[in-house]
Amino acid sequence: MRVRPPASVSEWLLSVAEVLPLPYRSKLPYTLGSAIIELGEYAEAVGSEKWNERASRTHRSSLGSEIEFQTSRLGPRLAKMVGPRLEALRNGLEAQTVAVLANGFAELWHSTAAIEAAFRDLCDAAKARGVTSRKLRGLSAIIASQVGAAAESPFSPLREAASWLSDSEVDLFRGARSEESAALSEHDRVTKAEDILSVVRTGHVTVWLTFYRAIVDSMRTVAGPMTFLRADWALPNALDNGPNSFPECAELKQLQVDVHWLEELHDESLKIENRLALVRVDLGDRRLAGAVEDARRRVEAILSVAVEAGGVSWQSASAYAVLVDGKVHSSSIGLDLGNHSVPGDEYGIGATAEILTSVAEQLGEALEREPMPEALMEALSALREARLTDHRDVLFFGVRPITPRVATALEDHALELIASLLGVKATSLSGALQTEAALGDVDDHVAAQLMASFEGGWQREDAKQRRELEEQLVTHAHGRRVISVGRVISQADQIRSLPMTDLQRADFEDAFAICTEPSREAELLREVLRESSILRARLRRVRNAVNHGLPLSTTALHSVRGYAEKTSTTALNLALTWYKAGGKGSELVQRSDQDWSARTSRVATGVSWADHDAAHDEPL
């Protein structure tokens, strides 16, 4: 409840001022604009082919009811303004037409004219005798929706406008020249509030973010519009005129003047117990509203790739600064470094830095070309959280683990998002992931058996001989052991001469037969495909049980966790490959099926694994 000011202000102005700002920590309300944007995005997602299918008609019917309901909540001025656009949307029969019309409606919804109309509707309603807060809050929610993400800020234009409607002239003009503190009429207050609400603040926006438990491997890593800087290197060089220059030096010096937390970050970065990083995100020309949140999502998406690959999470230090057209527009108050002095997983932090460098190299060009799609960022976030059953964040940093049940639901959610991104049905993606997993299991199975006699070789008297032979057969790339089947087969007699257990010898001979006899390979392919089919079906049952509250045993749940993690990781890699390379996602999905078909076709023609490997040099 706002406190009545000492100045004489009309009751209706006080009412508008009370309902205009969003309640503390509230999110943007769902309004007509939200429903139209949802309709447009749905039209773009399903396309013309599926627009008239039964499922699409059901979805559109639900949205139609939503739009009619939200339309009934508009004030008369705004309703008159958007009426023709709504009528055109109601008559839109094709997906492409609806998408275009919805985009046009969204532009109108956020325009200065529409915000002014909505504000005047709120003012008119507030003047009516007996009007309730429920009615006024419904109209103010529309304005918050039009203003956008800026409405959620503690310093939002909604709060500033409310102050001009209700605060005393003394408070409004405190610190200004005395002649400016003249009495304000109702018209003056409403006009000023209207101007504040309707100004769409735009420019070239850059956001600086801070993180702890964070290391940048090469001091400075660039991933498209994002620059990751190691704080204990960047700040001394920029602020203390150190010997190393880098492109962001001048901007950091500029920040030093207006951003109060930068000196604190500088001091903290030099303490041996801290691991701190700065991230600069160039958002380009855009609205200022929501810039910090957008920058955080982009950074977290890249960090999620590193965490999903085995690294540990960076933690936000809360401090940020926003530049508009090269000048500091706003910044946070200070740093929050958490319990940073507790010893942690230094190996994991270093591994994250290495992975981040690789991710930046792989995705930098794509990130420069266009922002990562929202659905891909959401999938990354879901899979990052799904890994928190026994992740390094849980084991070393006290992050609360999630249950395998929740992890399974998150993976299911991520796969649905990825299927939509790639433009394929979820069942098609699931089938491709199954064959990909089956091929991987075949390769892993044969590789393990081919190299069985080398396990624990360092304990034997002939360790040096074994190591020399192993080095001829194996290389390492990206942390993986790579085995040449052709070389193993050609050196089979030497391997057989090594001392080994009966079980190791049986494993080797079985793998040797698989690699040299197409009929044995075909038998293994059939066996593994059947196993993967059973696993895929079981995972589907588990997901249905999780999502719909059906009976589910702990044994069944845990039995699919390995398969679920493996296939969701493969799906994520497909999505990242699609984002990086462009093209049709469906072709990437089809390639997995084609790999299986190529394998079975080769076996059917009588070409052995060893002969194919020798001819094409395709190691395991």
Side-chain angles (χ1 to χ4, degrees), residues 303-313 379-395 399-404 406-412 414-415 418 433 543 560-573:
L303 293 174
S304 292
V305 180
V307 173
E308 208 276 340
V312 297
S313 300
L380 277 164
S381 177
L383 290 180
R384 175 179 179 171
E385 189 172 353
R387 301 301 180 252
L388 294 180
T389 51
D390 58 356
H391 191 268
R392 302 186 78 93
D393 283 351
V394 174
L395 300 176
V399 173
R400 181 181 177 181
I402 67 168
T403 66
V406 172
T408 304
L410 286 167
E411 287 160 347
D412 194 29
L415 288 178
I418 290 170
L433 296 175
R543 285 176 171 164
V560 299
R561 288 302 309 139
Y563 181 80
E565 288 184 10
K566 180 189 295 184
T567 52
S568 60
T569 296
T570 301
L572 177 60
N573 289 336

Side-chain angles (χ1 to χ4, degrees), residues 178-189:
S178 58
E179 60 267 22
E180 289 185 335
S181 59
L184 292 170
S185 67
E186 283 189 1
H187 179 268
D188 293 334
R189 290 176 178 273

Side-chain angles (χ1 to χ4, degrees), residues 20-31 33-34 37 109-110 140-153 156-158 287 289-290 293 297:
L20 190 56
L22 284 177
Y24 177 62
R25 300 189 71 177
S26 293
K27 297 300 181 182
L28 288 177
Y30 190 99
T31 64
S34 313
I37 291 170
W109 185 256
H110 295 292
S140 69
I142 291 171
I143 301 171
S145 169
Q146 292 172 309
V147 170
E152 297 177 358
S153 169
S156 76
L158 300 181
R287 288 183 175 217
E293 294 77 11
R297 283 198 303 273

Side-chain angles (χ1 to χ4, degrees), residues 279-405:
V279 185
R280 180 184 187 273
V281 186
D282 187 341
L283 296 175
D285 293 326
R286 55 162 287 155
R287 288 183 175 217
L288 181 60
V292 176
E293 294 77 11
D294 191 10
R296 288 195 191 281
R297 283 198 303 273
R298 296 190 189 196
V299 172
E300 288 295 338
I302 296 301
L303 293 174
S304 292
V305 180
V307 173
E308 208 276 340
V312 297
S313 300
W314 287 10
Q315 298 298 301
S316 172
S318 300
Y320 67 84
V322 181
L323 284 76
V324 180
D325 296 329
K327 296 181 180 179
V328 175
H329 175 271
S330 60
S331 68
S332 58
I333 298 174
L335 292 173
D336 178 8
L337 300 183
N339 192 16
H340 59 278
S341 61
V342 176
D345 179 20
E346 293 295 327
Y347 174 81
I349 295 173
T352 306
E354 293 180 14
I355 298 169
L356 179 62
T357 299
S358 176
V359 172
E361 292 173 355
Q362 293 291 321
L363 298 181
E365 186 176 335
L367 290 165
E368 193 69 50
R369 184 176 65 243
E370 61 177 341
M372 190 176 286
E374 284 286 341
L376 181 51
M377 290 195 287
E378 173 66 19
L380 277 164
S381 177
L383 290 180
R384 175 179 179 171
E385 189 172 353
R387 301 301 180 252
L388 294 180
T389 51
D390 58 356
H391 191 268
R392 302 186 78 93
D393 283 351
V394 174
L395 300 176
F396 292 96
F397 294 108
V399 173
R400 181 181 177 181
I402 67 168
T403 66
R405 193 179 187 103

Side-chain angles (χ1 to χ4, degrees), residues 472-490:
Q472 297 177 35
L473 311 175
V474 176
T475 57
H476 291 82
H478 306 295
R480 288 185 69 244
R481 184 174 66 169
V482 181
I483 300 168
S484 170
V485 174
R487 292 176 190 170
V488 172
I489 299 305
S490 67

